[in-house]
Amino acid sequence: ETGVTQTPRHLVMGMTNKKSLKCEQHLGHNAMYWYKQSAKKPLELMFVYSLEERVENNSVPSRFSPECPNSSHLFLHLHTLQPEDSALYLCASSQAVSGRAYNEQFFGPGTRLTVL
Amino acid sequence: KQEVTQIPAALSVPEGENLVLNCSFTDSAIYNLQWFRQDPGKGLTSLLLIQSSQREQTSGRLNASLDKSSGRSTLYIAASQPGDSATYLCAVRHGSGGGADGLTFGKGTHLIIQP
């Protein structure tokens, strides 16, 4: 257990569905991240939130919409996804200093997403 | 754009051997470097974090070194055990401004320790 939980662990959705991924951290951190892990590709950073403000959007399509209502929770809202969006989506958290994410990142177990 | 390369892509060795995993990165302006392990279907477990000002970190049978100027890091695993079988990932945190504080990952080394 890393102190970062993600739900659901597995999700199958059609291309016209709307779903949300949830991440919660119990470490007292104030920076949170979404990463995507596709087969045979390195983990890719999607979004960074530091002190509840989005500080990075790594050229992610608008069909992915993040939300960070407070420092402990992070959501990824999914809408009209494509089959190539099937991947493992990982959430991470760290402790930011002066608004810049700083130290060691701790990862959740991920949500395995399949888009039909 | 930062690129991280890990060599070898896969490694299979008998139990008890000492082994070295390699990581290289193209932009030496990093803030820190982190080694992770990932078990099949699972998330990432942080193993070691090396700040850019440090040369190495040790945790149990693991030792990670960092040569920032040459863009290299190694993860040394002593007396390997079957439980060490996993994919090992190297990731660097950018050191420049602009809020680019995410990690850039390599593709990983898939390690199998034979009993």
Side-chain angles (χ1 to χ4, degrees), chain A residues 2 9 33 35 37 40-43 45 48 55-56 88 90 94 100-105 107-110 112, chain B residues 31-32 34 36 38 41-46 49 51 89 93-103 105-107:
Chain A
T2 62
R9 295 293 308 276
Y33 312 78
Y35 290 87
Q37 187 175 34
K40 300 182 180 179
K41 293 177 67 176
L43 269 97
L45 177 69
V48 179
V55 296
E56 184 162 349
L88 180 67
L90 292 160
S94 70
R100 294 197 62 213
Y102 176 59
N103 219 324
E104 189 173 5
Q105 290 191 18
F107 282 75
R112 173 67 63 183
Chain B
Y31 195 80
N32 60 38
Q34 203 166 345
F36 297 87
Q38 185 175 29
K42 302 289 182 63
L44 276 63
T45 300
S46 180
L49 171 73
Q51 302 293 352
L89 297 165
R93 182 189 294 276
H94 310 148
S96 54
D101 290 308
L103 296 175
F105 281 84
K107 290 185 178 182

Side-chain angles (χ1 to χ4, degrees), chain B residues 1-5 24-33 52 66-72 91-97 100 104:
Chain B
K1 179 184 175 184
Q2 177 76 272
E3 291 186 3
V4 178
T5 302
S24 61
F25 44 95
T26 55
D27 185 348
S28 62
I30 64 168
Y31 195 80
N32 60 38
L33 183 145
S52 61
L66 174 64
D67 184 342
K68 183 181 168 185
S69 61
S70 68
R72 296 177 187 275
V92 297
R93 182 189 294 276
H94 310 148
S96 54
T104 300

Side-chain angles (χ1 to χ4, degrees), chain A residues 34-111:
Chain A
W34 280 116
Y35 290 87
K36 175 183 178 182
Q37 187 175 34
S38 305
K40 300 182 180 179
K41 293 177 67 176
L43 269 97
E44 302 170 87
L45 177 69
M46 300 177 71
F47 300 104
V48 179
Y49 276 84
S50 181
L51 300 174
E52 301 163 35
E53 177 184 347
R54 190 191 308 182
V55 296
E56 184 162 349
N57 176 345
N58 207 23
S59 302
V60 179
S62 59
R63 57 185 183 269
F64 295 92
S65 175
E67 178 189 2
C68 187
N70 56 62
S71 60
S72 299
H73 294 87
L74 183 66
F75 295 90
L76 187 62
H77 304 299
L78 314 173
H79 177 51
T80 60
L81 295 192
Q82 304 298 313
E84 58 264 30
D85 296 322
S86 299
L88 180 67
Y89 289 84
L90 292 160
C91 172
S93 72
S94 70
Q95 183 60 28
V97 175
S98 300
R100 294 197 62 213
Y102 176 59
N103 219 324
E104 189 173 5
Q105 290 191 18
F106 294 87
F107 282 75
T111 295

Side-chain angles (χ1 to χ4, degrees), chain B residues 3-113:
Chain B
E3 291 186 3
V4 178
T5 302
Q6 290 188 246
I7 296 173
L11 182 63
S12 180
V13 300
E15 178 179 5
E17 285 200 6
N18 303 324
L19 51 98
V20 176
L21 309 182
N22 297 290
C23 172
S24 61
F25 44 95
T26 55
D27 185 348
S28 62
I30 64 168
Y31 195 80
N32 60 38
L33 183 145
Q34 203 166 345
W35 281 94
F36 297 87
R37 73 173 275 168
Q38 185 175 29
D39 294 283
K42 302 289 182 63
L44 276 63
T45 300
S46 180
L47 298 173
L48 290 164
L49 171 73
I50 310 177
Q51 302 293 352
S52 61
S53 58
Q54 297 176 322
R55 297 285 292 183
E56 66 177 328
Q57 284 286 330
T58 298
S59 176
R61 295 182 293 107
L62 305 179
N63 176 276
S65 68
L66 174 64
D67 184 342
K68 183 181 168 185
S69 61
S70 68
R72 296 177 187 275
S73 176
T74 61
L75 179 67
Y76 176 83
I77 303 176
S80 58
Q81 303 171 358
D84 295 330
S85 298
T87 296
Y88 289 80
L89 297 165
C90 168
V92 297
R93 182 189 294 276
H94 310 148
S96 54
D101 290 308
L103 296 175
T104 300
F105 281 84
K107 290 185 178 182
T109 293
H110 181 55
L111 177 64
I112 296 175
I113 307 299

